[in-house]
C-alpha cells in the first residue's frame, strides 16, 4: 500500500485566556475531524496540524497567522473565534493568498475570497432570535455586550428589529472582554424592566453576568427566566457548565447546532467527541463548526486533487456534508454555509431543549440584503415548533 501524502494545516485557537472554554471546544472539533479523515483511506492524504494558541490576544493572532503563512508555508488555517481576531489576521491571508476557515457564528457584513465561513451568518441566528423574542417576550430590549464588533453589529440588527416592531431599546451597555463586575448594570436592568435582555457578552464576562443577574433577581423573589429572559446568539453547552447549575437554566439561545439534536449523525458525533475528549464535557455549535471546517477542507482538497487555495475554493460549492446539524454546503457566491437555524432554552442539566427549528438549511445572507422589514419587525427564515 502506498504511503499517503501529508497536507499541513494550521489550527489557531485560544485554548487559554478569557474565552478558553470555547477555544478548547473549537480545537477539539477540529482534532476530531482530522482524526476521522486520517483514519479514512478514502482520502489520498492525511492532515498534519500545526497548532498555535493566541491566548485571546489580537496581537498574538496577527503574529501567529503571519508566521503560519510565511515561516510555516501553510495555505489553510482553521481558527479564530472573535470577529476582532478575524479582522486582525485577514490582511495576511489576503497578502499571502491563504484561506482562513472561520468556524464561528458572527455578525456578518463581510465576504472575503480568503475566508470560508462555517459558522452562522446573521440571518441564521440573530434574525430568527429577534422574531422569537418580539413574538414571545415583548418589545422592550436591554442590550449588554462585550465592547467589540460582534456586539456592536448584532445590537444594530436587534435594534432595527425592535424599532420595526414599534418597540424600544432601553439601553446598550458595553464592557471590556474579561470584565467581571456587572452589579451596576444589573441594577439598571432591573429598574428599567425590559421584556428581555439581549446578551452579546463573551467568555468569562458572560458567565459572571449570568450568575450575578440570577442572584440579584432571586434575592428580590423574581423568576428571572420568566420576567427577565436573557437571550444570546453564542451561548453553548460548555458555557452552561461554566455558569454552573444555580444559574444555567432558562436562557434562550439561537444557534444552528445543539447537542440535543436527535439524528443518527449527531448522536454518532456526540459519542465520538466524548470518546476522544472524555474530560471535555458536551459538544457545542463552536465544536461542530470547527469539525465542519476541517471536513469541508478535506473534501474540497480531494475533489480538487490539490491543496491550492484557488482550486479548493472552486471545488467547495460541489461538496455537501451530512453534518451533525443536518446537510451543509457552501454558497458559491459568498463562501458562507447553508445551515439550519434553531432556538433552544437551556435546562438545569446543562443542555438545551430545542423549541423551534427551520424545516431545511437556510441560504446564508451575511449582508441581510434579502431581508424584508415589516411593521412587525424582521422576517426571518420560517421556523417550526419542535414537538
Amino acid at each position: 500500500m502506498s504511503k499517503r501524502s501529508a497536507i499541513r494545516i494550521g489550527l489557531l485557537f485560544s485554548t487559554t485566556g478569557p474565552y478558553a472554554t470555547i477555544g478548547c471546544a473549537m480545537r477539539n472539533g477540529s482534532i476530531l475531524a482530522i482524526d476521522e479523515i486520517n483514519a479514512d483511506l478514502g482520502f489520498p492524504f492525511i492532515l498534519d496540524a500545526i497548532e498555535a494558541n493566541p491566548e485571546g490576544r489580537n496581537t498574538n493572532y496577527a503574529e501567529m497567522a503571519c508566521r503560519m503563512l510565511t515561516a510555516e508555508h501553510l495555505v489553510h488555517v482553521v481558527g479564530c473565534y472573535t470577529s476582532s481576531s478575524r479582522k486582525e489576521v485577514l490582511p495576511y491571508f489576503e497578502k499571502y493568498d491563504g484561506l482562513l476557515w472561520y468556524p464561528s457564528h458572527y455578525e456578518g457584513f463581510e465576504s472575503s475570497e480568503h475566508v470560508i465561513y462555517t459558522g452562522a451568518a446573521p440571518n441564521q441566528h440573530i434574525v430568527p432570535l429577534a422574531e422569537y423574542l418580539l413574538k414571545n417576550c415583548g418589545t422592550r430590549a436591554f442590550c449588554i455586550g462585550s465592547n467589540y464588533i460582534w456586539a456592536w453589529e448584532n445590537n444594530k440588527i436587534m435594534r432595527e428589529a425592535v424599532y420595526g416592531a414599534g418597540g424600544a431599546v432601553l439601553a446598550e451597555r458595553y464592557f471590556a472582554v474579561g470584565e467581571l463586575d456587572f452589579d451596576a448594570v444589573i441594577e439598571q436592568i432591573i429598574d428599567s424592566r425590559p421584556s428581555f435582555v439581549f446578551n452579546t457578552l463573551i467568555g468569562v464576562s458572560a458567565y459572571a453576568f449570568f450568575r450575578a443577574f440570577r442572584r440579584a433577581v432571586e434575592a428580590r423573589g423574581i423568576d428571572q427566566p420568566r420576567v427577565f429572559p436573557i437571550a444570546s446568539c453564542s451561548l453553548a453547552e460548555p458555557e452552561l457548565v461554566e455558569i454552573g447549575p444555580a444559574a444555567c437554566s432558562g436562557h434562550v439561545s439561537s444557534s444552528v447546532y445543539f447537542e440535543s439534536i436527535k439524528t443518527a449523525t449527531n448522536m454518532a458525533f456526540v459519542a465520538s467527541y466524548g470518546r476522544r475528549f472524555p474530560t471535555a464535557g458536551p459538544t457545542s455549535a463552536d465544536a461542530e463548526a470547527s469539525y465542519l471546517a476541517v471536513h469541508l477542507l478535506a473534501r474540497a482538497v480531494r475533489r480538487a486533487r490539490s491543496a491550492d487555495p484557488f482550486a479548493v475554493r472552486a471545488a467547495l460549492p460541489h461538496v455537501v456534508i451530512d453534518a451533525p446539524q443536518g446537510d451543509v454546503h457552501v454558497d458559491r457566491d459568498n463562501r458562507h454555509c447553508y445551515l439550519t437555524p434553531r432556538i433552544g432554552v437551556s435546562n438545569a442539566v446543562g443542555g438545551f431543549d430545542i423549541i423551534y427549528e427551520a424545516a431545511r438549511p437556510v441560504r446564508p445572507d451575511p449582508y441581510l440584503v434579502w431581508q424584508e422589514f415589516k411593521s412587525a419587525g424582521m422576517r426571518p427564515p420560517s421556523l417550526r415548533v419542535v414537538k
Side-chain angles (χ1 to χ4, degrees), residues 26 43 49 113 149 210 262-263 292 316 324 344 354 366 373 385:
M26 297 172 91
F43 290 93
E113 292 186 354
I149 188 171
F210 278 106
K262 303 299 184 186
T263 64
L292 286 178
L316 262 177
I354 301 171
F373 289 82
V385 177

Side-chain angles (χ1 to χ4, degrees), residues 68-84:
M68 284 181 166
L69 294 165
T70 55
E72 297 288 351
H73 304 291
L74 304 181
V75 293
H76 297 284
V77 176
V78 182
C80 296
Y81 171 58
T82 65
S83 287
S84 55

Side-chain angles (χ1 to χ4, degrees), residues 160-361:
E160 292 188 20
V162 169
Y163 291 161
V169 175
L170 305 179
E172 293 182 30
R173 297 289 182 266
Y174 297 97
F175 297 84
V177 174
E179 176 62 59
L180 300 176
D181 181 4
F182 297 101
D183 290 347
V185 74
I186 286 170
E187 293 300 319
Q188 293 175 18
I189 293 170
I190 294 171
D191 290 344
S192 62
R193 309 291 294 186
S195 306
F196 61 88
V197 178
F198 179 47
N199 163 61
T200 49
L201 294 164
I202 66 165
V204 294
S205 298
Y207 317 149
F209 172 74
F210 278 106
R211 290 191 293 262
F213 193 65
R214 179 65 60 90
R215 286 195 302 268
V217 295
E218 284 187 344
R220 293 167 167 80
I222 297 172
D223 181 351
Q224 180 259 304
R226 184 179 63 83
V227 178
F228 296 122
I230 303 175
S232 310
C233 290
S234 57
L235 185 63
E237 289 88 344
E239 298 183 297
L240 298 179
V241 176
E242 295 291 335
I243 293 168
C248 74
S249 62
H251 308 305
V252 180
S253 183
S254 180
S255 182
V256 295
Y257 174 83
F258 294 108
E259 187 179 77
S260 51
I261 294 171
K262 303 299 184 186
T263 64
T265 302
N266 183 52
M267 288 186 281
F269 170 67
V270 172
S272 295
Y273 189 92
R275 286 192 300 269
R276 181 63 174 84
F277 307 104
T279 63
T283 60
S284 64
D286 312 282
E288 197 237 9
S290 304
Y291 177 84
L292 286 178
V294 175
H295 271 288
L296 285 167
L297 190 168
R299 281 160 173 71
V301 169
R302 180 173 61 183
R303 183 180 180 90
R305 299 183 180 180
S306 170
D308 175 78
F310 296 95
V312 168
R313 196 162 53 223
L316 262 177
H318 305 285
V319 176
V320 179
I321 294 180
D322 177 18
Q325 67 169 273
D327 285 349
V328 170
H329 66 281
V330 176
D331 185 274
R332 65 173 62 251
D333 295 325
N334 59 40
R335 291 160 297 282
H336 293 64
C337 289
Y338 281 69
L339 304 171
T340 303
R342 295 176 170 90
I343 292 176
V345 177
S346 61
N347 55 48
V349 295
F352 287 93
D353 300 317
I354 301 171
I355 56 173
Y356 289 93
E357 66 180 10
R360 63 187 61 85

